[in-house]
Amino acid sequence: MAPNRAYCPIFVHCSELQGFGLGFAVAREEDESQDLAWHSVASWTWDAQDETCGICRMAFDGCCPDCKLPGDDCPLIWGSCNHAFHLHCILKWVNSQTSQAHCPMCRREWQFKG
Amino acid sequence: MADSIYSICNLGILDTLSENSIHEIVESYEGFCAANETLLNGAGDLSVGPQLVSNAHSLCKHGLESLLRDHFLGALEKTFEKNGALKFWRHFEDVSIGEEVFYNALEEISLEKQYQEKCLLMLVHALQTYNQRGSHDSDAISVELFAKYQLSVSSVLMATLPRKFPEILNWYFKGRLEELSTIMAGDRPPRDDEDEDDDRDDMELDEKWKVSYRSGQMEIDECYPQGRFFDNSKLVNNIGRVVHDLRSLGFTSMTEDAYASAIFLFLKAKVHDLAGDDYRISVLESIKGWIQAVPLQFLHALLAYLGDSISYESASSGLKSPLAKCPASFYPGIDTPSEGLVRWQLRLEYFAYETLQDLRIAKLFEIIVDYPDSSPAIEDLKQCLEYTGQHSKLVESFISALQYRLLTAGASTNDILHQYVSTIKALRTIDPAGVFLEAVGEPIRDYLRGRKDTIKCIVTMLTDGTGANPNVSGNTGDSLLEELNRDEESQENIAPEDDFHTDDKQAWINASRWEPDPVEADPLKGSRNRRKVDILGMIVGIIGSQDQLVNEYRVMLAEKLLNKSDYDIDSEIRTLELLKIHFGENSMQKCEIMLNDLIGSKRTNTNIKATIAQPSHTDAGSELGDNRVSMDIIDATIISSNFWPPIQEESLIVPGPIDQLLSDYAKRFNEIKTPRKLLWKKNLGTVKLELQFEDREMQFMVAPVHAAIIMQFQDQKSWTSKDLAAAIGVPIDILNRRINFWISKGILSESLGEDTDNHMFTLMEGMIDTGKNTANDGNCEDLIVGDEEGESSVASVEDQLRKEMTVYEKFILGMLTNFGSMALDRIHNTLKMFCIADPTYDKTLQQLQSFLSGLVSEEKLELRDGMYFLKK
């Protein structure tokens, strides 16, 4: 007589449970992966300290005014002063400066952070 | 007698009369009167004729011609009244009279009249022979006398006319028409095989010629050189004779009225009969055919018999019947239709069109309900209306039908919308300019605006062909949007409206094609050139702005995308492309990003899973060290949350191994996409799992929270609700709601624990009560958890609105503190006036009202007589 647990009638096909209901698990080993499929949802974030870009005032997790698609197409860039901007925004700023560009937020010299 | 002589002759002449001549006059006069009497009462005995003539001559010699005439006519009239009219009317005293009686009566009176006419002719003859010696115009006398006689006959008859005589006439013609119609119906070969029947027809013709010869009815046969008229020549002959007799009795107009009304009644009955309640076939042609076949033939025969003697003064050649375009085919056997016949045809056709139109208008609602099938009926109606021009009748009747049958609380919004679309489509055929459509659509739009779920239904209908209306068979799977698009493409192909490239020639063609707006058009609404019936535009018009529609679509799309377990979004992409065509790219931008997220997720997902370092191999120290839960079971949809509608977040503790996998996944994401991070929304998504029991397996597609619940039962067969809630990290009330899913599937059972709040859930072993879910056995693939109330993962538009409105709550409360009480529109206006800074007040009156009623139900406000107060 197997221990009581062996009669547990339910078995979700993840094999961390193989401790009981062993017989079933072994029999089904080959297709267990398709028996449980967990489709989850996540949102991504740039994880900047601030909410919005200091130049365009758009959300970091959105995109700069020139872009249509957020994410890879409109990345963020950090300066050595740890201020983040949309790449497109800060490039526009840097290119518009005649001499050495400064961070729009803290007026320190603008250096892209390694 | 002497008086009458005096009155005629001048007294001077009397003196010149000799005794002799007086004697002669008296004698002749007496002789004349006697002869007259015998003649008229003598029943066909004309032997006294010469006596009459000689007496007449001698009287005339004395210049008493007019006396002669008056006396004769007076005698005729009296006799006719006595012998003719009284007898004639006596025939009709019975309540019901047969055809025979009618014929006999007519025959009798006609004979009487003929006899009297013969007598009259005798007098005329006498006068004529006398006048040949004199210098009078003899034709004039006969014309005058006969006219007088005719007048006296008809006046006698009219004066004694019984009231029901017109009815009898009507009845008679109706009966004959029916007879004729049956003959026609029985005789007419179906049109298709007319050619084959030609030979046989010819033979029949010959035979009929003979028949008609034998029956001695040649008089009318000349009128019908060919055709099928012989079939009914006897009938028509009879009718012709009746009409002729009636006419000679002076009943011309009454007869005409009678047969006209009989024909119209008959035609009406025929139209009703043909049109019926079947809208899938066009009946107009068959009605026209029938008009040609029966009433027109009847009339043709009749007019021909009467020698087309009714002269219609105003020629109708200017009025062209729509049928007159190809007269040859429409007048079989008649080379040139007489004017009278053409007039009759126009009248009959107009009447038929009008009758059919009335019939169809009355049933327009039903016709539109089964619109695509009923398009023949719509075509018919269109033609009728083109002819009669009574569009306003249609509008009125249809609007009242709508109000009575559709715009009621019992009708579902979906049905109303479908009817609306069908109405648009159907009326577009009838009236391409959309003038009447506008009038008809207005009540529907007004009504739909008052319904809460209108937008939702519209979006569903637009984007989701299958779900929109399951009752409608046919092209399921095609959304309305695609249909619209197809329509538009085909329309554009036919008539490319390219304003910029029109050369002069094209401009000229356009100009010559111009038609004025219908009279009913509202001049405020612009000309038809600018107005193209645009179904989508009219649907958006219900809501007022397309932004609301787009917003609703976004929420629905989000819901759909978040519940996808694969990344298959082809149909959504197509829908979005179609929407972009109609609403412009900018307004669909966010939706596009959402779809893009899905595409990106698929790529990232594959990338992560391919490159992830399997924790089970590297991290042997973990307590899951040798488990075989691989990354393969995890998939993720990664969204750009800024562009999605607000998402409902609920806390949820997923089972340990899954949680581990998720964090590994997030870590890998962070490695690949530095410095981006993943934030899991663990309550969202779908889980496909399989439960294995001793005797069977069941597959489910569930929400993560359901999966989390059931997985807790793997190592502990019963839980109290408190413990379970703690284990999966959701509030108890939510747990109680969600766990119902498993209870309803018969997998868990609920029992009251020692504590009333603390229920006990136990795993059912062996599925004793299979009765509960036998239907679900085996094929559980399609078991997707339906969204029970309030379970959607995306905040609905209403929720969003409520959230937005809360900003104004303190404004409103402040206002009411200052003013004491305010009406709805005053609050609305004040908000509009003062809330111009961020956030701008841009809500509608209805939105404000629903928000305020929310505040009332929260007992923050009070509503009395349309005024809002602060609740004290």
Side-chain angles (χ1 to χ4, degrees), chain B residues 241-356:
Chain B
R241 210 172 54 226
V242 166
V243 173
H244 185 79
D245 288 349
L246 284 169
R247 218 183 259 187
S248 75
L249 291 176
F251 287 129
T252 312
S253 64
M254 198 184 288
T255 316
E256 207 162 304
D257 278 355
Y259 68 72
S261 73
I263 287 174
F264 281 127
L265 276 178
F266 198 52
L267 176 58
K268 190 171 184 177
K270 187 71 190 178
V271 170
H272 280 255
D273 184 39
L274 277 176
D277 276 346
D278 190 358
Y279 313 123
R280 282 167 301 180
I281 41 165
S282 172
V283 293
L284 205 53
E285 280 309 317
S286 53
I287 289 177
K288 279 194 220 163
W290 185 83
I291 291 180
Q292 290 295 336
V294 184
L296 271 187
Q297 301 292 20
F298 170 81
L299 286 166
H300 172 74
L302 201 62
L303 293 181
Y305 182 87
L306 300 171
D308 213 355
S309 57
I310 322 161
S311 66
Y312 294 94
E313 281 100 44
S314 62
S316 59
S317 52
L319 292 168
K320 277 264 175 187
S321 151
L323 293 174
K325 286 166 212 152
C326 34
S329 63
F330 282 115
Y331 295 93
I334 309 166
D335 291 336
T336 46
S338 69
E339 230 169 75
L341 200 61
V342 170
R343 280 181 75 91
W344 264 107
Q345 185 180 2
L346 287 173
R347 275 171 78 182
L348 288 177
E349 264 165 23
Y350 185 86
F351 185 77
Y353 278 127
E354 200 178 17
T355 313
L356 183 64

Side-chain angles (χ1 to χ4, degrees), chain A residues 23-24 35 50-51 77 83 103 110:
Chain A
F24 303 110
D35 285 338
D50 211 349
E51 279 277 301
I77 193 84
H83 284 120
C103 169
W110 179 261

Side-chain angles (χ1 to χ4, degrees), chain B residues 45 152 170 172 187 241 423-424 544 574 597 636 742 785 800:
Chain B
D45 181 16
S152 72
N170 225 329
Y172 169 75
D187 238 42
R241 210 172 54 226
T423 308
I424 296 175
R574 208 167 58 206
D597 279 348
W742 294 117
V785 188
Q800 290 178 43

Side-chain angles (χ1 to χ4, degrees), chain B residues 700-749:
Chain B
F700 291 99
M701 283 279 261
V702 293
V705 63
H706 294 129
I709 291 171
I710 203 64
M711 284 166 94
Q712 295 298 334
F713 284 87
Q714 281 174 135
D715 32 33
Q716 189 179 329
K717 280 161 70 184
S718 62
W719 289 80
T720 61
S721 47
K722 223 176 249 170
D723 293 346
L724 190 55
I728 63 169
V730 299
I732 283 190
D733 54 333
I734 291 180
L735 170 77
N736 282 337
R737 209 168 66 220
R738 298 305 171 100
I739 207 167
N740 274 332
F741 173 76
W742 294 117
I743 295 173
S744 72
K745 295 277 179 255
I747 293 182
L748 296 182
S749 74

Side-chain angles (χ1 to χ4, degrees), chain B residues 784-835:
Chain B
I784 297 167
V785 188
D787 268 344
E788 286 128 15
E789 67 308 342
E791 259 197 80
S792 90
S793 42
V794 183
S796 69
V797 175
E798 289 91 65
D799 290 343
Q800 290 178 43
L801 183 70
R802 203 170 304 133
K803 211 170 275 174
E804 286 171 35
M805 285 299 282
T806 44
V807 182
Y808 305 109
E809 186 181 331
K810 62 175 188 290
F811 283 103
I812 295 167
L813 295 182
M815 258 190 268
L816 289 174
T817 323
N818 285 337
F819 293 108
S821 68
M822 288 171 92
L824 176 67
D825 51 350
R826 186 149 170 232
I827 300 179
H828 183 64
N829 290 333
T830 318
L831 282 175
K832 259 204 299 212
M833 212 182 309
F834 293 112
C835 298

Side-chain angles (χ1 to χ4, degrees), chain A residues 4-18 20 24-25 28-29 32-47 59-63 67-73 76 78, chain B residues 562 564-565 567 586 589 593 596 628-629 633-643 654 657-658 673 675-681 684-694 697 704 707 713-714 763 765:
Chain A
N4 209 16
R5 289 197 316 186
Y7 287 101
C8 175
I10 181 170
F11 180 75
V12 174
H13 227 296
C14 300
S15 35
E16 80 267 27
L17 307 167
Q18 67 189 129
F20 51 93
F24 303 110
R28 305 235 154 225
E29 215 169 303
E32 68 190 15
S33 59
Q34 69 197 44
D35 285 338
L36 178 72
W38 194 291
H39 192 110
S40 193
V41 175
S43 65
W44 58 262
T45 169
W46 282 106
D47 203 25
F60 278 132
D61 292 344
C63 50
C67 284
K68 294 242 178 228
L69 299 175
D72 293 336
D73 290 346
L76 291 201
W78 276 261
Chain B
L562 288 181
K564 271 198 190 304
S565 56
Y567 300 96
N586 278 343
Q589 179 64 31
I593 291 174
N596 220 50
R628 281 169 307 208
V629 184
I633 66 162
I634 297 286
D635 284 309
T637 300
I638 301 160
I639 64 171
S640 313
S641 54
N642 271 27
F643 299 90
V654 298
I658 303 292
K673 301 266 182 182
R676 283 155 79 184
K677 280 184 182 162
L678 274 195
L679 303 174
W680 289 107
K681 305 193 181 301
L684 301 181
T686 51
V687 178
K688 185 178 147 201
L689 52 79
E690 185 177 285
L691 301 185
Q692 291 193 345
F693 296 90
E694 278 177 331
E697 300 161 10
F713 284 87
Q714 281 174 135
L763 195 65
E765 301 191 21

Side-chain angles (χ1 to χ4, degrees), chain B residues 465-512:
Chain B
T466 43
N469 194 346
N471 317 335
V472 171
S473 56
N475 50 347
T476 45
D478 259 6
S479 66
L480 177 65
L481 201 61
E482 299 204 25
E483 199 187 316
L484 294 183
N485 222 48
R486 265 203 313 274
D487 278 5
E488 199 147 283
E489 274 168 16
S490 59
Q491 268 178 12
E492 268 162 20
N493 287 343
I494 294 164
E497 284 187 71
D498 205 343
D499 288 339
F500 301 103
H501 298 103
T502 45
D503 50 9
D504 289 349
K505 200 178 158 198
Q506 186 63 37
W508 172 251
I509 291 170
N510 284 344
S512 60

